[in-house]
Amino acid sequence: MAFDYDLFVIGGGSGGVRAARVAAQEGARVALAEEDRYGGTCVIRGCVPKKLMVFASEYAGMVEDAQAYGWDIQHGAFDWDIFRGKLYNELDRLENVYRGLLKNSGVDSFDQRARLADPHTVELADGTKKTAKHILLAMGGRPIKPGVPGEELGITSNDIFHLAKLPESILIVGGGYIACEFAGILNGMGVEVTQYYRGAQILRGFDEEARGLVSDEMRQRGVNLHVGTNIVEMKQDGDKIRVLATNGEEALFDHVMFATGRVPNSEDMGLTEIGIELGRKGEVVVDDYGQTGVPSVYAVGDVTDRVNLTPVAIREGMAFVETVFKGNPTKPDHDLIPTAIFTQPEMGTVGLSEEDAREQELIEVYATSFKPMQQSFAGRSERVLMKLVVSQATRKVLGCHIVAPGAGEMIQLAGIAVKMGATKEDFDRTVAVHPTMSEELVTMKTPVRTG
Ligand code: NDP
């Protein structure tokens, strides 16, 4: 049977665009459908605008530091309108880059929703049907609200970039990446930030010492963080939102932002109808190669809810092209993925937390926490953390955890060594770069804990 295309990709985010482009470069006839903006969550409503907001929010503290270093420089106001206008322009530019990448690779794009009609047929919103030898599901995910009374009054991270004006106060609900990053951003921009997290400590799953330091520093910088706290109900009260919390407190906020997790965009896609299995959260179930139970259909990225990070989706897209279009079956490697959380201070991490490593084997822990030179000179009391978790048996560094300004940049490089299987002695053999914060990673001599 002759198909219209060799590959039809549904979803123009990081994973889908990469797979479409690379497959087309291999000579495949490729189409892609996207119902919203090209670039997906990362570019349009995630990593990119978030990181630009992190940068914007950090300038307030820089003025104080510059004064401490002798600069005659005064605080000014932050103009959300100016920043938001520039942000929109930048996102438009990036969306065009994504569209251009597809066009220049010869991919046909359809600016509409698509769903599966059968294992080889995609039906577009306008009723057109296109057949393809392979179909790649790359629809990503979206934020969800937790189901509390009045939650329709709240916003999610999708809305935060579009606020007409910066609020005076905000309640952020959740303790994951998104909640903690936006708590820091909005606090830096001068918003009074309250954060409710239902558990005992934010950033569940990460190294305990590292998350402890991040939460201490967030509080120190002015985030009003309440752990063991959730919303009971919320109601409109004039132009504010009145929130009743599980700790019995009632308070008014201009906005409430839910950062209580994300779900895969898999509904109403015709998936289960053709025999594709969905998991409990609605994630598309795939094997190690990204193939669903229907052999012509594969899936990559957040819609599979494995490791929900842009660079991972991109790698899954590349592995899919290797497997299907280059005859080289390739499993995406989900082991030892370095990642950064753009809290203030940042956290960079790769490998096992101290707690997870100890469950597995006997370890040595090397850690140091100190006031970094630049901030300390400026009179700040903030501390950073450099930490290595080492296997006693193999001497390999099982985990590296950094809480410090620039930790994201540092962990990218430390991640190479850890991925290569570097031992503690390999770290020790490396000469320190002085004076830096990260030199501590190669100068720690005595374990702080063993066993
Ligand atoms: P996460 O799953 O990381 O965090 C969700 C948070 O909401 C958790 O603290 C969770 O608590 C809490 N929560 C869940 N349900 C409820 C509820 N019913 N009531 C109250 N609290 C609730 O999701 P995020 O939305 O923060 O981020 C989604 C994913 O996006 C991340 O896992 C990450 O993969 C990716 N991401 C990556 C970034 C980066 O690389 N820097 C930045 C932003 C996102 P509990 O811990 O108790 O379950």
Side-chain angles (χ1 to χ4, degrees):
M1 178 182 163
F3 295 107
D4 296 329
Y5 293 103
D6 299 313
L7 172 64
F8 200 109
V9 179
I10 306 181
S14 305
V17 168
R18 178 62 67 93
R21 199 158 64 81
V22 181
Q25 281 160 4
E26 284 302 304
R29 293 166 308 138
V30 183
L32 181 146
E34 167 60 57
E35 63 174 333
D36 198 333
R37 299 187 63 183
Y38 286 70
T41 298
C42 170
V43 175
I44 304 297
R45 58 192 87 83
C47 325
V48 171
K50 179 272 309 284
K51 189 86 191 270
L52 289 168
M53 282 180 82
V54 170
F55 291 141
S57 71
E58 284 176 342
Y59 285 99
M62 285 181 197
V63 172
E64 282 153 24
D65 287 358
Q67 287 168 340
Y69 272 85
W71 287 92
D72 178 11
I73 183 174
Q74 299 311 318
H75 256 294
F78 172 65
D79 190 323
W80 170 249
D81 283 342
I82 292 180
F83 171 75
R84 199 183 54 166
K86 285 204 70 179
L87 180 67
Y88 282 1
N89 290 342
E90 179 62 3
L91 300 186
D92 289 347
R93 186 184 74 78
L94 290 170
E95 183 177 11
N96 281 331
V97 168
Y98 270 70
R99 282 184 184 272
L101 286 172
L102 289 172
K103 190 159 173 247
N104 296 338
S105 324
V107 175
D108 287 345
S109 20
F110 297 94
D111 294 357
Q112 46 183 315
R113 186 171 170 81
R115 63 197 303 282
L116 298 200
D118 69 45
H120 291 286
T121 308
V122 168
E123 182 177 359
L124 296 167
D126 66 6
T128 319
K129 289 190 173 167
K130 299 285 178 195
T131 58
K133 187 166 184 212
H134 299 283
I135 294 171
L136 182 67
L137 305 174
M139 295 88 72
R142 63 173 191 286
I144 41 153
K145 294 177 183 174
V148 292
E151 69 180 14
E152 63 285 354
L153 300 170
I155 60 171
T156 67
S157 58
N158 282 354
D159 311 303
I160 199 84
F161 311 108
H162 303 292
L163 296 177
K165 68 183 184 53
L166 211 52
E168 276 172 25
S169 65
I170 192 165
L171 168 66
I172 298 180
V173 187
Y177 278 77
I178 297 180
C180 296
E181 290 181 341
F182 278 101
I185 289 168
L186 294 167
N187 180 54
M189 288 179 171
V191 179
E192 196 185 303
V193 177
T194 305
Q195 184 179 355
Y196 288 172
Y197 173 51
R198 64 181 177 181
Q201 182 57 282
I202 56 166
L203 297 171
R204 183 164 63 81
F206 292 100
D207 184 85
E208 222 164 89
E209 200 172 3
R211 50 209 275 254
L213 181 57
V214 171
S215 74
D216 288 351
E217 291 293 334
M218 282 172 64
R219 286 196 170 102
Q220 178 85 12
R221 289 172 191 221
V223 175
N224 189 6
L225 171 62
H226 296 260
V227 294
T229 307
N230 216 338
I231 293 185
V232 176
E233 60 168 14
M234 45 201 272
K235 284 188 183 139
Q236 194 72 45
D237 186 336
D239 57 359
K240 308 252 182 211
I241 301 168
R242 179 176 293 278
V243 174
L244 174 63
T246 48
N247 60 7
E249 281 176 18
E250 251 187 59
L252 291 171
F253 301 96
D254 288 330
H255 281 293
V256 175
M257 178 178 128
F258 290 100
T260 45
R262 299 176 59 87
V263 286
N265 284 326
S266 60
E267 333 54 3
D268 192 26
M269 289 294 301
L271 303 181
T272 48
E273 291 86 331
I274 66 162
I276 291 172
E277 190 189 342
L278 299 183
R280 207 169 48 86
K281 270 178 80 180
E283 70 275 19
V284 175
V285 176
V286 291
D287 69 10
D288 288 349
Y289 297 92
Q291 193 173 29
T292 69
V294 174
S296 57
V297 183
Y298 285 70
V300 293
D302 288 9
V303 79
T304 64
D305 194 30
R306 288 172 289 175
V307 182
N308 297 334
L309 298 171
T310 296
V312 176
I314 290 174
R315 284 182 169 244
E316 288 169 0
M318 303 282 277
F320 159 77
V321 175
E322 276 295 321
T323 302
V324 174
F325 292 98
K326 295 196 188 176
N328 174 26
T330 302
K331 296 180 189 175
D333 180 359
H334 290 136
D335 193 30
L336 292 172
I337 295 170
T339 182
I341 304 128
F342 294 98
T343 39
Q344 298 179 25
E346 262 170 53
M347 170 149 121
T349 174
V350 62
L352 297 177
S353 66
E354 177 180 344
E355 298 72 39
D356 287 349
R358 188 169 288 119
E359 292 267 295
Q360 192 172 295
E361 59 184 294
L362 290 173
I363 55 169
E364 285 177 358
V365 176
Y366 296 83
T368 174
S369 180
F370 56 96
K371 287 188 191 170
M373 187 195 233
Q374 185 182 4
Q375 288 74 11
S376 162
F377 186 87
R380 290 185 184 274
S381 61
E382 70 191 46
R383 305 184 76 79
V384 300
L385 171 73
M386 301 285 154
K387 175 165 180 176
L388 296 176
V389 179
V390 177
S391 160
Q392 283 193 19
T394 66
R395 305 298 301 152
K396 277 190 185 172
V397 175
L398 303 173
C400 175
H401 310 283
I402 302 173
V403 178
E409 303 289 347
M410 296 179 207
I411 205 68
Q412 178 68 82
L413 303 178
I416 301 172
V418 175
K419 184 80 183 164
M420 288 176 74
T423 59
K424 175 67 170 67
E425 286 63 36
D426 290 325
F427 274 69
D428 294 346
R429 283 192 298 120
T430 307
V431 173
V433 177
H434 186 71
T436 63
M437 292 178 274
S438 52
E439 69 180 301
E440 298 291 332
L441 288 175
V442 298
T443 55
M444 292 185 285
K445 293 282 172 269
T446 320
V448 290
R449 287 179 288 282
T450 52

